[in-house]
Amino acid sequence: MNCLRTIALSLSLFLVGLVGPIQAQLQMNFYANTCPNAEKIVQDFVSNHVSNAPSLAAALLRMHFHDCFVRGCDGSVLINSTSGNAERDATPNLTVRGFGFIEAIKTVLEAQCPGTVSCADIIALASRDAVVFTGGPTWSVPTGRRDGRISNSSEALANIPPPTSNFTNLQTLFANQGLDLKDLVLLSGAHTIGVSHCSSFTNRLYNFTGRGDQD
């Protein structure tokens, strides 16, 4: 099995497995009867817009990852809070992009199939389609996720692996999601698109010795 297929399989198992406390019976073509064009609508919207903003592919995949690591893939990262304590208000999510993009897809779907397609499924489908559109691997996306109604910044801060994590901390955070060392390696290796802020890794480039000097 080549690397791209292995990463795609790992992504598929990871994103299917993290359903979260809101139980859902995931299946392929979940909307076949209630909104038969749902997945095509998402795919078309992504292909028509990501070409104008290719960096969105990485942003959407990151949003999906951050959503899934807190209460499962339930779309709770999208929830706004008037008190500023929702997941999207947590430090790891302050640089997450793509909220307006997901909302735009939701608007199109609501016009076709009101109250049918969950925001959680939209994130899952759009992130996959965006990665494929930019030349990355594909993976199967069962649908039928239900949108969560609980969103706490403290949970996001506690569960999303920060860029400053050491290996032990990463193992613990992934294990908390039922993921093993192989999952950690493969999912970390899937970071093949997008950019990072220098502040996230300069300490590993120039302070390996602990003295602050350049390595």
Side-chain angles (χ1 to χ4, degrees):
M1 184 180 291
N2 64 40
C3 241
L4 287 181
R5 287 182 61 198
T6 303
I7 289 172
L9 177 59
S10 184
L11 282 168
S12 177
L13 293 174
F14 162 61
L15 300 174
V16 169
L18 296 181
V19 178
I22 295 181
Q23 296 301 312
Q25 296 299 317
L26 300 186
Q27 62 185 62
M28 299 303 297
N29 302 312
F30 178 84
Y31 300 106
N33 296 321
T34 56
C35 191
N37 293 321
E39 295 189 24
K40 184 67 164 54
I41 289 172
V42 175
Q43 185 182 57
D44 288 347
F45 193 95
V46 169
S47 64
N48 289 336
H49 292 82
V50 170
S51 58
N52 298 321
S55 65
L56 262 177
L60 292 172
L61 185 61
R62 182 173 182 239
M63 176 192 287
H64 193 23
F65 162 58
H66 282 212
D67 181 42
C68 291
F69 254 66
V70 184
R71 293 182 172 267
C73 310
D74 65 349
S76 55
V77 71
L78 300 172
I79 296 176
N80 279 310
S81 169
T82 55
S83 57
N85 62 354
E87 288 175 35
R88 64 191 294 173
D89 300 307
T91 301
N93 289 330
L94 294 179
T95 53
V96 169
R97 297 186 297 118
F99 295 107
F101 192 84
I102 298 299
E103 183 64 32
I105 297 176
K106 177 67 170 174
T107 298
V108 176
L109 285 167
E110 284 297 299
Q112 293 289 321
C113 316
T116 302
V117 183
S118 69
C119 291
D121 276 339
I122 295 173
I123 296 175
L125 291 166
S127 62
R128 188 273 310 274
D129 292 341
V131 170
V132 172
F133 184 80
T134 57
T138 187
W139 61 91
S140 298
V141 179
T143 44
R145 295 166 186 78
R146 298 173 185 173
D147 290 331
R149 297 179 179 275
I150 299 174
S151 184
N152 296 316
S153 59
S154 59
E155 292 183 350
L157 192 60
N159 288 287
I160 297 173
T164 54
S165 291
N166 58 32
F167 187 62
T168 300
N169 184 229
L170 285 174
Q171 282 185 296
T172 299
L173 291 172
F174 273 71
N176 289 343
Q177 304 295 338
L179 301 171
D180 61 19
L181 181 58
K182 182 178 180 180
D183 297 318
L184 167 59
V185 173
L186 288 172
L187 290 168
S188 297
H191 286 69
T192 56
I193 57 176
V195 298
S196 177
H197 297 282
C198 289
S199 59
S200 298
F201 57 84
T202 49
N203 66 307
R204 295 197 296 273
L205 289 179
Y206 305 116
N207 194 28
F208 185 77
T209 63
R211 297 193 299 268
D213 55 338
Q214 184 171 335
D215 297 320

Coordinates of all heavy atoms in Angstrom, one line a residue, residues 20-69:
G20 N -18.4 11.0 18.3 CA -18.7 11.8 19.5 C -19.9 11.3 20.2 O -20.5 10.3 19.9
P21 N -20.2 12.1 21.3 CA -21.3 11.7 22.2 C -22.7 11.7 21.6 O -23.6 11.1 22.0 CB -21.2 12.7 23.4 CG -20.5 13.9 22.8 CD -19.6 13.3 21.7
I22 N -22.8 12.5 20.5 CA -24.1 12.5 19.8 C -24.1 11.4 18.8 O -23.4 11.4 17.8 CB -24.3 13.9 19.0 CG1 -24.4 15.0 20.0 CG2 -25.6 13.8 18.2 CD1 -24.6 16.3 19.4
Q23 N -24.8 10.3 19.1 CA -24.8 9.1 18.4 C -25.4 9.3 17.0 O -26.4 9.9 16.8 CB -25.5 8.0 19.1 CG -24.9 7.6 20.4 CD -23.4 7.1 20.2 OE1 -23.2 6.3 19.4 NE2 -22.5 7.6 21.0
A24 N -24.8 8.7 16.0 CA -25.3 8.8 14.6 C -24.9 7.5 13.9 O -23.9 6.9 14.2 CB -24.6 10.0 13.9
Q25 N -25.8 7.0 13.1 CA -25.5 5.8 12.3 C -25.0 6.3 10.9 O -25.7 6.6 10.0 CB -26.8 5.0 12.1 CG -27.4 4.5 13.4 CD -26.5 3.5 14.1 OE1 -25.9 2.7 13.5 NE2 -26.3 3.7 15.4
L26 N -23.6 6.3 10.8 CA -23.0 6.8 9.6 C -23.1 5.7 8.5 O -23.0 4.5 8.8 CB -21.6 7.1 9.9 CG -21.2 8.2 10.9 CD1 -19.8 8.5 10.9 CD2 -22.0 9.4 10.7
Q27 N -23.4 6.2 7.3 CA -23.4 5.2 6.2 C -23.1 6.0 4.9 O -23.3 7.2 4.8 CB -24.8 4.6 6.1 CG -25.9 5.6 5.8 CD -27.3 4.9 5.8 OE1 -27.7 4.4 6.9 NE2 -28.0 5.0 4.7
M28 N -22.7 5.3 3.9 CA -22.4 6.0 2.6 C -23.8 6.4 2.0 O -24.8 5.7 2.1 CB -21.7 5.0 1.7 CG -20.3 4.5 2.2 SD -19.2 5.9 2.5 CE -19.0 6.6 0.9
N29 N -23.8 7.5 1.4 CA -25.0 8.1 0.7 C -26.2 8.2 1.7 O -27.3 7.8 1.3 CB -25.3 7.2 -0.5 CG -24.2 7.1 -1.5 OD1 -23.6 8.1 -1.9 ND2 -23.9 5.9 -1.9
F30 N -25.9 8.7 2.9 CA -27.0 8.8 3.9 C -28.1 9.7 3.4 O -29.3 9.4 3.7 CB -26.3 9.5 5.1 CG -27.3 9.7 6.2 CD1 -27.7 8.7 7.1 CD2 -27.9 11.0 6.4 CE1 -28.6 8.9 8.2 CE2 -28.8 11.2 7.4 CZ -29.1 10.2 8.3
Y31 N -27.8 10.6 2.5 CA -28.9 11.6 2.0 C -29.5 11.2 0.7 O -30.1 12.0 0.0 CB -28.3 13.0 1.9 CG -27.8 13.5 3.3 CD1 -26.4 13.6 3.5 CD2 -28.7 13.9 4.3 CE1 -25.9 14.1 4.7 CE2 -28.2 14.4 5.5 CZ -26.8 14.5 5.7 OH -26.4 15.0 6.9
A32 N -29.3 9.9 0.3 CA -29.8 9.5 -1.0 C -31.2 9.7 -1.2 O -31.7 10.0 -2.3 CB -29.5 8.0 -1.2
N33 N -32.0 9.6 -0.2 CA -33.5 9.8 -0.3 C -34.0 11.2 0.1 O -34.9 11.7 -0.5 CB -34.2 8.7 0.5 CG -34.0 7.3 0.0 OD1 -33.9 7.1 -1.2 ND2 -33.9 6.4 0.9
T34 N -33.3 11.8 1.0 CA -33.8 13.1 1.6 C -33.1 14.3 0.8 O -33.7 15.3 0.8 CB -33.4 13.2 3.0 OG1 -32.0 13.0 3.2 CG2 -34.2 12.1 3.8
C35 N -31.9 14.1 0.3 CA -31.3 15.2 -0.4 C -30.2 14.5 -1.4 O -29.0 14.6 -1.1 CB -30.6 16.1 0.5 SG -30.0 17.7 -0.2
P36 N -30.7 13.9 -2.4 CA -29.9 13.1 -3.3 C -28.7 13.8 -3.9 O -27.7 13.2 -4.3 CB -30.8 12.5 -4.4 CG -32.0 13.4 -4.3 CD -32.1 13.9 -2.9
N37 N -28.8 15.1 -4.1 CA -27.7 15.9 -4.7 C -26.8 16.5 -3.7 O -25.9 17.3 -4.1 CB -28.2 16.9 -5.7 CG -28.9 16.3 -6.9 OD1 -28.5 15.3 -7.4 ND2 -30.1 16.9 -7.3
A38 N -26.9 16.2 -2.4 CA -26.2 16.9 -1.4 C -24.6 16.8 -1.6 O -24.0 17.9 -1.6 CB -26.5 16.3 0.0
E39 N -24.1 15.7 -1.8 CA -22.7 15.5 -2.0 C -22.2 16.2 -3.2 O -21.1 16.7 -3.3 CB -22.3 14.1 -1.9 CG -22.6 13.4 -0.5 CD -22.0 12.0 -0.4 OE1 -21.0 11.7 -1.1 OE2 -22.5 11.3 0.5
K40 N -23.0 16.1 -4.3 CA -22.6 16.8 -5.5 C -22.6 18.3 -5.4 O -21.7 19.0 -5.9 CB -23.6 16.4 -6.6 CG -23.2 16.9 -8.0 CD -21.9 16.3 -8.6 CE -21.8 16.5 -10.1 NZ -21.8 17.9 -10.5
I41 N -23.6 18.8 -4.6 CA -23.6 20.3 -4.4 C -22.4 20.7 -3.6 O -21.8 21.7 -4.0 CB -24.9 20.6 -3.5 CG1 -26.1 20.4 -4.4 CG2 -24.8 22.0 -3.0 CD1 -27.5 20.6 -3.7
V42 N -22.0 20.0 -2.6 CA -20.8 20.3 -1.9 C -19.5 20.3 -2.8 O -18.7 21.2 -2.8 CB -20.6 19.4 -0.7 CG1 -19.2 19.7 0.0 CG2 -21.7 19.5 0.3
Q43 N -19.4 19.2 -3.5 CA -18.3 19.0 -4.4 C -18.2 20.1 -5.5 O -17.1 20.7 -5.7 CB -18.4 17.7 -5.1 CG -17.2 17.3 -6.0 CD -17.4 16.0 -6.7 OE1 -18.3 15.8 -7.4 NE2 -16.5 15.0 -6.4
D44 N -19.3 20.5 -6.1 CA -19.3 21.5 -7.1 C -18.9 22.9 -6.5 O -18.2 23.7 -7.1 CB -20.7 21.6 -7.7 CG -21.0 20.5 -8.7 OD1 -20.0 19.7 -9.0 OD2 -22.2 20.3 -9.1
F45 N -19.5 23.2 -5.3 CA -19.2 24.4 -4.6 C -17.7 24.5 -4.3 O -17.0 25.5 -4.6 CB -19.9 24.6 -3.3 CG -19.9 26.0 -2.8 CD1 -20.9 26.9 -3.0 CD2 -18.9 26.4 -1.9 CE1 -20.9 28.2 -2.5 CE2 -18.8 27.7 -1.4 CZ -19.9 28.6 -1.7
V46 N -17.1 23.4 -3.8 CA -15.7 23.4 -3.5 C -14.8 23.6 -4.8 O -13.9 24.4 -4.8 CB -15.3 22.1 -2.8 CG1 -13.7 21.9 -2.8 CG2 -15.9 22.0 -1.4
S47 N -15.2 22.9 -5.8 CA -14.4 23.0 -7.1 C -14.5 24.3 -7.7 O -13.6 24.8 -8.4 CB -14.8 21.9 -8.1 OG -16.1 22.1 -8.5
N48 N -15.6 25.0 -7.5 CA -15.8 26.3 -8.2 C -15.2 27.4 -7.4 O -15.0 28.5 -7.9 CB -17.3 26.6 -8.3 CG -18.0 25.8 -9.3 OD1 -17.4 25.3 -10.2 ND2 -19.3 25.5 -9.1
H49 N -14.8 27.2 -6.1 CA -14.3 28.3 -5.3 C -12.9 28.1 -4.8 O -12.2 29.1 -4.6 CB -15.2 28.5 -4.1 CG -16.6 29.1 -4.5 ND1 -17.6 28.3 -4.9 CD2 -17.0 30.4 -4.5 CE1 -18.7 29.0 -5.2 NE2 -18.4 30.3 -4.9
V50 N -12.5 26.9 -4.6 CA -11.1 26.6 -4.0 C -10.1 27.0 -5.0 O -9.0 27.4 -4.7 CB -11.0 25.2 -3.6 CG1 -9.5 24.8 -3.3 CG2 -11.8 24.9 -2.3
S51 N -10.4 26.9 -6.3 CA -9.4 27.3 -7.3 C -9.1 28.8 -7.2 O -7.9 29.2 -7.5 CB -10.0 27.1 -8.7 OG -11.2 27.8 -8.9
N52 N -10.0 29.6 -6.7 CA -9.7 31.1 -6.4 C -9.0 31.3 -5.1 O -8.4 32.4 -4.9 CB -11.0 31.9 -6.5 CG -11.7 31.8 -7.8 OD1 -11.0 31.8 -8.9 ND2 -13.0 31.7 -7.8
A53 N -9.1 30.3 -4.2 CA -8.4 30.5 -2.9 C -7.9 29.1 -2.5 O -8.4 28.5 -1.6 CB -9.4 31.0 -1.9
P54 N -6.8 28.6 -3.1 CA -6.3 27.3 -2.9 C -5.9 27.0 -1.4 O -5.9 25.9 -1.0 CB -5.2 27.1 -3.9 CG -4.8 28.5 -4.3 CD -6.1 29.3 -4.2
S55 N -5.6 28.0 -0.7 CA -5.1 27.8 0.7 C -6.3 27.4 1.5 O -6.1 26.9 2.7 CB -4.5 29.1 1.2 OG -5.5 30.2 1.3
L56 N -7.5 27.5 1.0 CA -8.7 27.1 1.8 C -8.7 25.6 2.0 O -9.3 25.1 3.0 CB -10.0 27.5 1.1 CG -10.7 28.8 1.6 CD1 -11.9 29.1 0.7 CD2 -11.0 28.7 3.1
A57 N -8.1 24.8 1.1 CA -8.0 23.4 1.3 C -7.4 23.0 2.6 O -8.0 22.2 3.4 CB -7.3 22.7 0.1
A58 N -6.3 23.6 2.9 CA -5.6 23.3 4.2 C -6.4 23.8 5.4 O -6.5 23.2 6.4 CB -4.2 23.9 4.2
A59 N -7.1 25.0 5.2 CA -7.9 25.6 6.2 C -9.1 24.7 6.6 O -9.4 24.5 7.7 CB -8.3 26.9 5.8
L60 N -9.7 24.1 5.6 CA -10.9 23.3 5.8 C -10.5 22.0 6.4 O -11.2 21.5 7.3 CB -11.6 23.0 4.5 CG -12.3 24.2 3.8 CD1 -12.8 23.9 2.4 CD2 -13.4 24.7 4.7
L61 N -9.4 21.4 6.0 CA -8.9 20.1 6.6 C -8.5 20.4 8.1 O -8.9 19.6 9.0 CB -7.7 19.6 5.9 CG -7.1 18.3 6.3 CD1 -8.2 17.2 6.2 CD2 -5.9 17.9 5.5
R62 N -7.9 21.5 8.4 CA -7.6 21.9 9.8 C -8.9 22.1 10.6 O -8.9 21.6 11.7 CB -6.7 23.1 9.8 CG -6.3 23.5 11.2 CD -5.3 24.7 11.1 NE -4.8 25.0 12.4 CZ -4.9 26.2 13.0 NH1 -5.5 27.2 12.3 NH2 -4.5 26.5 14.2
M63 N -9.8 22.7 10.0 CA -11.1 22.9 10.7 C -11.7 21.6 11.1 O -12.2 21.3 12.2 CB -12.1 23.7 9.9 CG -13.5 23.9 10.6 SD -14.7 24.5 9.5 CE -14.2 26.2 9.3
H64 N -11.7 20.6 10.1 CA -12.3 19.3 10.4 C -11.5 18.6 11.5 O -12.1 18.0 12.4 CB -12.2 18.5 9.1 CG -13.0 17.3 9.1 ND1 -14.1 17.0 9.9 CD2 -12.9 16.1 8.3 CE1 -14.6 15.8 9.6 NE2 -13.9 15.3 8.7
F65 N -10.2 18.7 11.5 CA -9.4 18.0 12.5 C -9.7 18.6 13.9 O -9.9 17.9 14.8 CB -7.9 18.2 12.1 CG -6.9 18.0 13.2 CD1 -6.8 16.8 13.9 CD2 -6.0 19.1 13.5 CE1 -5.9 16.7 14.9 CE2 -5.1 18.9 14.6 CZ -5.0 17.7 15.3
H66 N -9.7 19.9 14.0 CA -10.0 20.6 15.2 C -11.4 20.3 15.7 O -11.7 20.2 16.9 CB -9.8 22.1 15.1 CG -8.4 22.5 15.1 ND1 -7.9 23.7 15.6 CD2 -7.3 21.9 14.7 CE1 -6.6 23.8 15.5 NE2 -6.2 22.7 14.9
D67 N -12.4 20.2 14.8 CA -13.7 19.8 15.2 C -13.8 18.4 15.7 O -14.4 18.2 16.8 CB -14.7 19.9 14.0 CG -16.1 19.6 14.3 OD1 -16.6 20.1 15.4 OD2 -16.8 18.9 13.5
C68 N -13.1 17.5 15.1 CA -13.2 16.1 15.5 C -12.5 15.8 16.8 O -12.9 14.8 17.5 CB -12.6 15.2 14.4 SG -13.6 15.1 12.9
F69 N -11.5 16.6 17.2 CA -10.8 16.3 18.4 C -11.5 16.8 19.6 O -11.0 16.5 20.8 CB -9.4 16.9 18.3 CG -8.3 15.9 18.1 CD1 -8.2 15.2 17.0 CD2 -7.3 15.7 19.1 CE1 -7.2 14.2 16.8 CE2 -6.3 14.7 19.0 CZ -6.3 14.0 17.8

